[in-house]
Amino acid sequence: MTHKVLIANRGEIALRIQRACRSLNLPFVQACSEADLPARYVQMADEHICIGPARAAQSYLDRAALIAAAHATGATMVHPGYGFLSEQAQFAQDVAEEGLIFVGPPADAIRRMGDKISARQCMIASDVPCIPGSEGALPDDPDALRAIAARIGYPVIVKASAGGGGRGMRVVETESALTEAVALTREEARNAFGNSELYLERYLITPRHVELQVLCDGHGTCIHLGDRDCSLQRRHQKVIEEAPAPGVDRDLIDRVAARCLQACRDMSYRGAGTFEFLYEDGALYFIEMNTRLQVEHPVTEAITGVDIVAAQLRIAMGEPLGLTQEDITFSGHAIECRINAEDPKTLTPSPGTISHWSAPEIDGLRLETHVYAGYTVPPQYDSLIGKAITHGADRSDAITRMALALDGIKVAGIATNIALHQRLLRDPVIARGGMGISYLGTLLAEETAP
Ligand code: ADP
């Protein structure tokens, strides 16, 4: 059967998926909103289709519009990219029920991993190490609550089972604050997610964020592509990522990865996925699984040489992965800086027209971007306009190349966070590596303190 892919996303990731389609000789259709219609990556696509107005709710989040676009253009597969509908089980289900192929795991796996209590239970059942916490949903009874928290040990974090994007969480330091914190988080969860189920975990004080990339082909082959460190975060948004995670014991990664792959088999997982962990005192603790492509996938591609997006497409078409764990080798170190259109002081989005854009040619640099001089960054969407990825023989080599790359990227007309990246690369703690997830927030708060 000849396939055709509907790319149900925008910006840099749409262009990335286009490239993977081209490398596989797969025809594709680029879906776009009215706001994205003039963009070069839309106009230069083999085919494009406008799915609705600029507002994401009426375009990139409109399941029926996307499915109608697939049918109208004869697409047989739908790649959701990241964000938007990529982790919406209902979309995966709708796509499948329409006789189309969703480039991602089965709807059931998305649903199970999207509910954090059920994800946690799946991981415990497959022996993936989890943070000490409550077994299921929290009861309302204050005495029962206190008993659960006392068993876990303070501080604890109350989390909404349906939470996401860093919302629906509250840290509780002492027993006296527990009942109120649970009531507040429950109310927030009900309003924000329409699901008031909560659970408790021990709150780790100085963890790092370490994650594992997996690929499963639906023919029994599940492999991992190693780990990434994404500890440099601002308000739970990743800013710089790297692979591999500095100083983390390789045996630990292999042991935990083996458990993750077992979890994938246990839930009949298919496609690419990421297991996110907090890392503290030499141990990894599962926090959630992302059942989609990650923004930071290129650092893993750089050190393994595996094209993760092409693998997703091939798996979706039913092909075997054609790779075993032994085929995966790791070479050097890679780092990624997310380039955002944002005001460097207020860190709020800075949409507008780019009057100048140029980038240097540097060995080991990969620039993932859909922007160019004359491109207008629309105000409706995420402020990510590109990613710079450098690959070097080791971490310091990758950082040196990144510093050169950032010095050479010239942008005018909009504000960006490039200067922030340049400063971060010169920071002695970051240069050493292994900083915790609160490091960047603290650094920025100190700088802006009166
Ligand atoms: P979301 O789906 O909203 O991203 P996560 O469960 O992945 O929620 O948690 C988001 C972030 O919150 C983590 O990256 C980490 O910074 C912090 N966090 C979550 N759970 C804990 C915990 N038990 N201890 C310390 N920090 C935590």
Side-chain angles (χ1 to χ4, degrees):
M1 168 165 185
T2 47
H3 284 289
K4 183 172 178 181
V5 182
L6 179 80
I7 302 176
N9 211 305
R10 62 175 302 281
E12 69 89 17
I13 199 62
L15 194 49
R16 170 74 187 90
I17 300 166
Q18 288 188 13
R19 277 212 321 279
C21 288
R22 286 204 177 98
S23 76
L24 296 173
N25 265 325
L26 261 176
F28 61 86
V29 189
Q30 179 62 56
C32 72
S33 70
E34 285 166 9
D36 286 327
L37 195 52
R40 202 179 276 168
Y41 75 90
V42 173
Q43 293 300 323
M44 307 256 291
D46 302 359
E47 202 180 331
H48 67 266
I49 183 165
C50 186
I51 46 165
R55 268 193 59 207
Q58 294 170 283
S59 48
Y60 301 107
L61 288 171
D62 185 336
R63 299 197 298 266
L66 286 161
I67 287 171
H71 286 316
T73 56
T76 55
M77 301 168 54
V78 179
H79 196 310
Y82 54 67
F84 294 124
L85 293 172
S86 60
E87 287 184 294
Q88 230 199 63
Q90 190 59 50
F91 184 55
Q93 189 175 325
D94 290 353
V95 167
E97 283 172 3
E98 289 288 329
L100 306 166
I101 297 172
F102 180 73
V103 182
D108 182 50
I110 302 178
R111 204 166 274 126
R112 276 158 82 186
M113 293 302 108
D115 180 280
K116 293 186 178 184
I117 293 177
S118 88
R120 210 178 128 80
Q121 286 166 340
C122 283
M123 294 309 141
I124 291 170
S126 303
D127 268 339
V128 175
C130 290
I131 303 184
S134 57
E135 261 153 43
L138 290 183
D140 273 322
D141 174 48
D143 287 335
L145 259 182
R146 280 193 283 269
I148 294 170
R151 182 178 53 72
I152 296 168
Y154 289 89
V156 293
I157 181 167
V158 188
K159 295 168 94 168
S161 192
R167 295 184 312 149
M169 296 187 291
R170 187 169 267 105
V171 180
V172 183
E173 304 282 350
T174 58
E175 185 169 274
S176 59
L178 182 67
T179 336
E180 192 186 340
V182 167
L184 282 173
T185 315
R186 204 183 281 292
E187 200 43 40
E188 274 170 17
R190 185 175 301 133
N191 292 332
F193 316 116
N195 172 348
S196 62
E197 281 197 330
L198 306 177
Y199 65 110
L200 276 187
E201 275 176 357
R202 174 168 307 143
Y203 183 67
L204 305 183
I205 309 292
T206 53
R208 289 164 58 184
H209 174 114
V210 173
E211 58 186 34
L212 281 168
Q213 175 75 54
V214 301
L215 281 176
C216 301
D217 69 0
H219 297 277
T221 299
C222 289
I223 61 168
H224 76 88
L225 301 181
D227 51 297
R228 298 184 281 258
D229 187 322
C230 313
S231 299
L232 282 173
Q233 304 181 0
R234 226 192 101 249
R235 294 190 199 136
H236 300 307
Q237 296 294 316
K238 296 165 185 168
V239 176
I240 297 181
E241 305 96 340
E242 60 185 302
V248 176
D249 181 30
R250 296 296 100 195
D251 287 344
L252 173 70
I253 296 289
D254 284 341
R255 269 200 318 277
V256 173
R259 302 318 311 161
C260 294
L261 297 178
Q262 187 56 47
C264 289
R265 287 186 205 99
D266 291 346
M267 65 174 130
S268 304
Y269 196 81
R270 195 180 61 232
T274 297
F275 289 79
E276 295 194 332
F277 295 87
L278 294 179
Y279 174 79
E280 193 175 71
D281 296 332
L284 286 166
Y285 302 97
F286 172 84
I287 44 171
E288 68 169 340
M289 180 177 190
N290 291 326
T291 52
R292 57 167 167 83
L293 184 66
Q294 303 268 111
V295 178
E296 60 272 24
H297 74 276
V299 290
T300 298
E301 295 185 326
I303 65 163
T304 60
V306 175
D307 182 329
I308 295 172
V309 184
Q312 283 188 300
L313 291 164
R314 289 200 297 106
I315 291 168
M317 288 187 285
E319 289 180 24
L321 199 51
L323 287 170
T324 64
Q325 195 63 56
E326 289 68 48
D327 294 324
I328 306 302
T329 54
F330 302 97
S331 132
H333 199 97
I335 176 165
E336 172 179 280
C337 290
R338 295 190 186 195
I339 302 173
N340 294 333
E342 68 186 18
D343 184 288
K345 291 244 153 38
T346 61
L347 303 172
T348 50
S350 166
T353 299
I354 297 175
S355 54
H356 177 85
W357 172 273
S358 57
E361 301 252 330
I362 289 169
D363 283 345
L365 167 66
R366 168 174 166 192
L367 199 57
E368 289 286 336
T369 186
H370 61 292
V371 310
Y372 44 85
Y375 175 82
T376 299
V377 180
Q380 287 89 358
Y381 313 109
D382 190 272
S383 60
L384 183 79
I385 55 165
K387 307 179 303 206
I389 302 103
T390 55
H391 184 207
D394 54 25
R395 188 168 187 271
S396 92
D397 187 25
I399 290 179
T400 304
R401 288 171 201 258
M402 183 61 81
L404 278 173
L406 295 173
D407 287 348
I409 299 175
K410 304 291 179 207
V411 192
I414 55 159
T416 74
N417 63 344
I418 291 177
L420 170 69
H421 283 303
Q422 289 172 310
R423 274 196 298 132
L424 295 181
L425 293 185
R426 289 193 295 267
D427 182 274
V429 174
I430 295 173
R432 225 179 301 131
M435 51 282 151
I437 51 175
S438 54
Y439 181 72
L440 180 55
T442 311
L443 189 74
L444 296 177
E446 276 167 10
E447 284 179 1
T448 51

